[in-house]
Structure formats: structure tokens, C-alpha cells
Amino acid sequence: MAASTTHVSHDTHSTTAGAGWSTQRIAVTALFCALAVIASFIEIPIFPPAAWLKYDPSCVIALVAGIAFGPVTGTVVVVLSWLLHLLFSFDPWGVLMAVVANVAFVVPCSLIARKLEGPRGLAVGMVAAAVVTLAVCIVMNIIVTPLYTAVDTATVVGMIVPILVPFNVLKIVLNCVICALVQGPVSKVLGK
């Protein structure tokens, strides 16, 4: 009877004991943050009736990080990248709304995609995240928009169906499609 051996992988550059953040994970997260900061400045008007609302692909980068390393890493990428964005473009209300919207997407999607794994898990995660994000974006617009614009709450409520829902649905669809296209190749590169 042969004795069984168990191979335990050990990261000699670990910054914490146990299953903490390795040096490699910190470096990869920093790279994701840098890419997300750059992506946050790529602002594209995607809904002609409301050209002031713009799409940026930074959420995709945070989502890929979240799927690869977990929702905490995805959240770190969202928060750090938007805090850095704030240094170059002082818009605290816009940054607050972007952080809340992106975290609302990244956390449920990465939790479900990591738990169920494979294309099915990613699809279920994206659908769940889409519902959460849409609800959060509408609530945030109702609460925050009147605080920094001349638009009152009643006007924001009136914009929900013709403007806010279609714009946010388009944004969510773009995030899902782009993530679905890049997540597989990036995961292979990361060995996930």
C-alpha cells in the first residue's frame, strides 16, 4: 500500500499568514486598479436622448478582478480606481454614484459566478447583478441627483422610465457582453 502524499502550494512571498493576499495578488490587483482608472476616463454617450449620461468600461475590469479573486478584490478595484479618478476630475457626487453602482454589480455577480462556476454561473451572476444594479441606480439617482443639480426629486422620478432605466440597461448589457468576452482569456492568463 503506497502512502499518499499531499502537495500544498505555498507562496513564499505571502504578506499574511494563511490564505491572505500574496505579493502576486497585490500586484495583479494594482494592475487592475490602474486599468480601471484609465477606463473610468473613457466616457462614451450611449443613449442619445440623455447624452449627458455616459458609459465607461471600468466596471468590467473590476468585475473580471472580482471573478478571478473574489468580491473583496473587485470592490477594492472599484473603490481605489474611482478615488484615483476623483484626484483628476473633482466630481464627488459622480464618483459616489459610480462606486455604488459598480459595487452593486461586481459583488453579486462575482459571488454567484465563483460559487456556481463556468458559463452558467457567470450568466446567473450577471442577471442577478443586473437586477440589483438597476434598482440601486434608480434609488441613487432619486436621492443624489437633487443634491447636486437643479433637478428636483419629482423630475428625477419622471425620468426613471424614459431615461434612467434604458440608459442603465444599456450600460449593464455592455458590461455583461464585454466581461463575457474578456473574462475567459484573462482567467487563463491569471491561471484561474
Side-chain angles (χ1 to χ4, degrees):
M1 184 160 144
S4 67
T5 59
T6 305
H7 176 69
V8 178
S9 174
H10 178 69
D11 181 358
T12 58
H13 299 289
S14 181
T15 57
T16 60
W21 284 53
S22 68
T23 306
Q24 178 185 5
R25 183 173 173 189
I26 291 169
V28 171
T29 302
L31 177 62
F32 277 123
C33 286
L35 292 172
V37 170
I38 293 165
S40 73
F41 286 99
I42 302 169
E43 298 177 328
I44 306 162
I46 57 170
F47 189 61
W52 70 89
L53 296 173
K54 295 181 176 139
Y55 169 78
D56 73 82
S58 66
C59 186
V60 174
I61 295 161
L63 181 56
V64 171
I67 293 168
F69 295 108
V72 171
T73 302
T75 301
V76 167
V77 171
V78 169
V79 172
L80 289 181
S81 65
W82 278 100
L83 286 177
L84 290 170
H85 180 100
L86 188 60
L87 295 175
F88 299 101
S89 173
F90 191 73
D91 178 14
W93 295 110
V95 167
L96 172 66
M97 294 196 38
V99 167
V100 172
N102 289 354
V103 169
F105 193 84
V106 168
V107 170
C109 187
S110 59
L111 276 172
I112 294 169
R114 286 175 62 83
K115 185 166 180 72
L116 298 179
E117 295 184 358
R120 180 177 168 268
L122 185 59
V124 172
M126 286 179 172
V127 169
V131 171
V132 171
T133 304
L134 191 56
V136 166
C137 286
I138 290 169
V139 170
M140 286 296 290
N141 271 284
I142 291 170
I143 294 168
V144 176
T145 301
L147 296 176
Y148 73 101
T149 66
V151 178
D152 62 11
T153 303
T155 305
V156 176
V157 170
M159 293 190 316
I160 290 173
V161 173
I163 294 172
L164 298 178
V165 169
F167 168 75
N168 282 294
V169 166
L170 275 172
K171 187 170 79 167
I172 289 165
V173 168
L174 281 170
N175 284 338
C176 291
V177 169
I178 297 169
C179 180
L181 292 172
V182 303
Q183 192 269 330
V186 171
S187 292
K188 285 179 185 171
V189 169
L190 295 174
K192 296 284 177 184

